[in-house]
Amino acid sequence: MAPREVYLKAIGNALAYLVSQLSVNGRMNLLDGHVLSEHFFEQFLNELYGWHLATANDTVANASSIDLIDSASKLSVQITTNKTKSKVQNTLEKASKAHDGFRVAFVFIALDARNLAKMKYSIPKNISFNPKTDIFDIGQLLLTCQDKQTETLLRLQDLCKSEVLPVMEDIPVQESELVKVLRAVAKINIEITNTLKVPMAFDIQQKIDFNDLGLIQQQTIDELAFYNASLDDIYELFTQEGITPGIIFQKLSSIYQRQSLENPDDSAPLKFLNMVDALMTYVHSTSRLDNEMSQEKIEYCCRIILADAFIRCKIFKNPEGYSYDSTNRHPA
């Protein structure tokens, strides 16, 4: 693999991880006890776009509506996970009172926020905002990365390694914690879709490519495959206890189908992350794990369970032309 491909993959993995974690935490400052402030995005955006952003609170009083400011270029940037039209409109109105004459841009910590660029907004006359050019998402950041020189990608990769990877590597889970979450999953009261076609097993890379899941491959599918053996043991234990693993897989398949029907236009990585959120919601409704495990560990366990289901070919589509089954050890 060429160096720039290595760098792009590392950057993509780090940003995809942030999307996953921040969608669960709902705020920018907490990741398993580590502080991840606007400074990461400040450095990342400055390197990527040649801006000169600084933390707004350090440069402008009453900057609650804006996170980062480039005073020389009169650019103000809001970084948020709140992917709604009202968030954009409210920020524009607040920015007009504190940042007269500034251009306002938004960086959404989401894989895809392109729908917001198509909406119409009431733009105060004393600020500049073009939804087609001033709305950024993780997908747009990665596309921009692809056009950069290798040296720039190396600096961005190093930034991700220093700011994000230590957090990514700090949430290991024990087999006993997986057991707790899976027991909660087994209790989920969800309608089983008997008509759902369960994919057959085949080369996993083919399935990753077919479903366009490369963005979350390394830090989710590849890395979490480490837990497959543990889940084998857990499912064997459940079988001995009279809990059929196939019922769990059917519930996961139903969550996948529901996401596909409710959000047909979502990208596959976003669909996977939405499934993690949905599974966490179900787990919370059937158990009281909050008293025993952190939100980050519960989220991590849910990702492990779904990544394992993907590898066992229980969720997502199978490539056309594949019809043989070689690894379905626990039939759905």
Side-chain angles (χ1 to χ4, degrees):
M1 184 180 294
R4 65 178 293 106
E5 293 176 356
V6 173
Y7 305 152
L8 282 168
K9 190 169 186 179
I11 295 165
N13 289 336
L15 294 180
Y17 180 80
L18 289 180
V19 171
S20 172
Q21 289 300 300
L22 295 176
S23 67
V24 173
N25 292 324
R27 56 189 186 275
M28 299 291 296
N29 65 341
L30 179 63
L31 282 178
D32 198 36
H34 291 261
V35 175
L36 183 66
S37 70
E38 299 95 14
H39 290 296
F40 167 75
F41 299 99
E42 171 190 330
Q43 297 173 74
F44 192 94
L45 295 171
N46 285 343
E47 183 65 52
L48 185 62
Y49 292 109
W51 295 339
H52 297 88
L53 297 168
T55 302
N57 290 331
D58 293 340
T59 58
V60 178
N62 190 28
S64 59
S65 63
I66 293 296
D67 296 306
L68 302 172
I69 293 282
D70 182 339
S71 298
S73 300
K74 285 203 166 186
L75 169 66
S76 58
V77 178
Q78 163 111 112
I79 298 173
T80 180
T81 59
N82 187 353
K83 195 177 64 172
T84 62
K85 178 181 179 180
S86 61
K87 176 64 174 178
V88 174
Q89 189 62 60
N90 290 338
T91 299
L92 292 175
E93 293 170 2
K94 291 179 180 179
S96 69
K97 299 175 182 178
H99 307 288
D100 183 55
F102 273 68
R103 168 193 170 196
V104 180
F106 295 82
V107 175
F108 289 94
I109 311 305
L111 295 176
D112 191 349
R114 288 176 294 178
N115 63 311
L116 293 176
K118 302 175 183 178
M119 298 180 181
K120 294 184 178 180
Y121 303 91
S122 177
I123 305 171
K125 294 181 179 179
N126 65 324
I127 61 173
S128 171
F129 172 68
N130 184 340
K132 294 183 179 180
T133 58
D134 294 329
I135 288 179
F136 302 82
D137 55 26
I138 296 302
Q140 180 61 50
L141 298 185
L142 291 174
L143 282 175
T144 303
C145 285
Q146 293 178 6
D147 294 331
K148 296 299 178 180
Q149 296 293 324
T150 302
E151 294 80 1
T152 300
L153 296 179
L154 176 58
R155 289 191 291 271
L156 289 171
Q157 177 205 236
D158 289 344
L159 173 63
C160 290
K161 283 187 174 181
S162 65
E163 299 289 338
V164 181
L165 293 186
V167 180
M168 296 169 66
E169 295 166 355
D170 198 33
I171 316 180
V173 298
Q174 303 298 317
E175 187 170 310
S176 60
E177 293 170 323
L178 275 173
V179 171
K180 292 177 182 178
V181 175
L182 275 169
R183 288 193 188 282
V185 174
K187 296 177 183 177
I188 292 174
N189 183 19
I190 184 173
E191 182 180 352
I192 302 300
T193 309
N194 294 324
T195 58
L196 181 65
K197 182 180 179 181
V198 178
M200 306 298 284
F202 40 79
D203 179 77
I204 295 303
Q205 188 60 52
Q206 290 280 350
K207 185 175 180 181
I208 291 170
D209 295 341
F210 184 77
N211 285 281
D212 198 19
L213 283 164
L215 187 62
I216 62 170
Q217 178 175 353
Q218 184 173 349
Q219 289 302 143
T220 295
I221 299 172
D222 290 350
E223 179 179 306
L224 301 185
F226 168 81
Y227 291 94
N228 289 155
S230 294
L231 285 165
D232 267 344
D233 294 338
I234 294 171
Y235 287 136
E236 290 296 339
L237 172 64
F238 280 15
T239 299
Q240 294 172 17
E241 295 178 353
I243 302 173
T244 305
I247 295 298
I248 293 175
F249 294 137
Q250 285 181 321
K251 292 177 179 180
L252 299 179
S253 296
S254 293
I255 292 174
Y256 167 68
Q257 186 183 52
R258 181 168 297 180
Q259 287 294 325
S260 298
L261 292 174
E262 293 178 355
N263 305 290
D265 297 328
D266 281 354
S267 64
L270 180 58
K271 192 174 298 179
F272 183 94
L273 296 177
N274 286 340
M275 288 179 67
V276 174
D277 287 344
L279 186 57
M280 285 188 69
T281 299
Y282 284 125
V283 167
H284 287 312
S285 69
T286 62
S287 67
R288 296 182 177 178
L289 290 181
D290 287 352
N291 298 327
E292 305 176 47
M293 299 169 59
S294 68
Q295 289 292 300
E296 289 76 26
K297 282 202 171 186
I298 294 174
E299 186 274 341
Y300 198 65
C301 285
C302 288
R303 276 200 292 140
I304 289 171
I305 292 166
L306 288 169
D308 174 80
F310 176 87
I311 291 172
R312 294 175 194 268
C313 303
K314 305 302 182 184
I315 56 176
F316 284 88
K317 300 175 182 178
N318 64 315
E320 298 175 1
Y322 285 87
S323 61
Y324 60 88
D325 183 358
S326 63
T327 62
N328 277 336
R329 290 166 287 184
H330 298 284

